[in-house]
Amino acid sequence: MRPRAPWRAPAAATLAAAALAALDPAVAHAHFALLEPACYSEQSSLGDPQKSAPCGQADPGNPIELTGEVTTYVQGQTITLRIDETIFHPGHYRVSIAENPESLPPDPAVTAGATPCGSTVIETDPQLPLVADGLLVHTSAFTGEQTVEIKLPDDLTCDNCTLQVSEFMSNHGINNPGGCFYHHCAIVTILPREGEPTGSGGAGGAGGDSGEGGAASSSVSSGGAGDGGSTASSGGSAGDGGAGASGDGGSAGADASDSSSSSGCGCRVGAAEDPTIATVAGLLALGLLRWRRRR
């Protein structure tokens, strides 16, 4: 007995499903596989599990096997959706994004036609969690894998959220579970766009350096702290003589403040350039003191 090749089982299943569709489209089962972004679960050659909403996680006898795949995007990015419709039925696709599977929107209502799955509404202005609707509308079989571009919302960011791709099938019987829809999910992270470079406003603090320059110029005189005017006054009070000497010292201090190359010592030297005046002033003061004592 010849051993059966491992690829023949899924191929035979596909042929059987196609033959069943030709005989009775009302009970045929369309299928698709999610290729991009990476599906959150392992998929068979037909794309199973995929019947139960929202992610095929409750298909009877076909438990989910997680892949651990996470696809990363940036907010507002245009992304590529790639699918392979393994068994044809007329219909279209829709995409939703939510924080978790429980927050995904329910499948929309369906209106029966020649079969229970006749038609459903297509949202022309989808709102979150619905991102896109009416994708890849078709009434005949695709010739291969299909891709379509989708723009993510400009204001949407999330960490390990759930992106759902669902297929509506018309001219189809009711799936149990799943109704008129098939479902796949992907785990995605949507990062914020890179922010603009930070402004240079902080550098404005450097203006304080000019203030330090002012302090340095005030240190030229012996006054130290305080502005130029107060240091000139303190220069005046530096004289050791009487009233006349202190006045001269004040004028010398004012001259020093006008010249950035002068020093405090220079101010004091300038006040004592004429020793005769200082001597006469001292003698007059001494004579006045003795005269007061005699009285």
Side-chain angles (χ1 to χ4, degrees), residues 39-42 48-50 52 55-59 61-67 183-184:
C39 191
Y40 92 128
S41 64
E42 299 288 352
D48 292 325
Q50 59 187 306
S52 55
C55 300
Q57 77 290 340
D59 287 14
N62 200 351
I64 285 287
E65 296 180 25
L66 299 178
T67 62
H183 316 82
H184 280 303

Side-chain angles (χ1 to χ4, degrees), residues 242-266:
S246 63
D248 291 339
S251 61
D255 292 339
S257 65
D258 292 338
S259 174
S260 59
S261 62
S262 300
S263 67
C265 294

